[in-house]
Amino acid sequence: TGPTRQAYMHEVIPSYQRASVISFDSVFGNGGAVLSQGGLGYLSRVRSVADGYVLGGIATVFALPLLEARRARRRDRRQGVRLSCRERRAGTPRDQSG
């Protein structure tokens, strides 16, 4: 798990659940990496290395909105605005005094 992902998980997961969630994420994250790398390797062998790179690049482009959402959340946090998931959906910020 990369440092950005670790920081995000430490920010949003309560401390009493963090170890379990990070462990669970690691199991599935590593499994996903094995499958995706294996799939890209197979595609590169069957078609071409260029096709493998293109597909890997497309997958990376689809990850960019997630990174931008993370940056937006960090910007909001620096400005003192912190919304829960429910509040984001409802569009109403919670009281910052308590």
Side-chain angles (χ1 to χ4, degrees):
T1 310
T4 302
R5 186 179 182 125
Q6 282 286 349
Y8 175 76
M9 289 173 54
H10 282 273
E11 180 180 317
V12 298
I13 300 169
S15 61
Y16 66 91
Q17 295 176 335
R18 198 171 297 140
S20 298
V21 172
I22 288 174
S23 177
F24 188 75
D25 176 67
S26 178
V27 167
F28 283 95
N30 291 334
V34 167
L35 292 176
S36 63
Q37 289 173 5
L40 290 174
Y42 178 77
L43 176 67
S44 296
R45 186 166 26 116
V46 171
R47 304 250 336 218
S48 72
V49 173
D51 288 344
Y53 275 115
V54 168
L55 184 60
I58 290 170
T60 301
V61 166
F62 280 112
L64 292 176
L66 299 174
L67 292 173
E68 181 55 36
R70 169 71 177 115
R71 287 186 186 121
R73 182 178 171 95
R74 183 175 277 175
R75 269 192 309 271
D76 290 346
R77 194 174 168 132
R78 276 193 221 122
Q79 295 169 356
V81 177
R82 186 167 181 203
L83 304 177
S84 70
C85 291
R86 238 183 242 144
E87 291 164 336
R88 260 185 257 124
R89 284 191 297 254
T92 56
R94 69 176 164 209
D95 182 9
Q96 295 293 316
S97 62

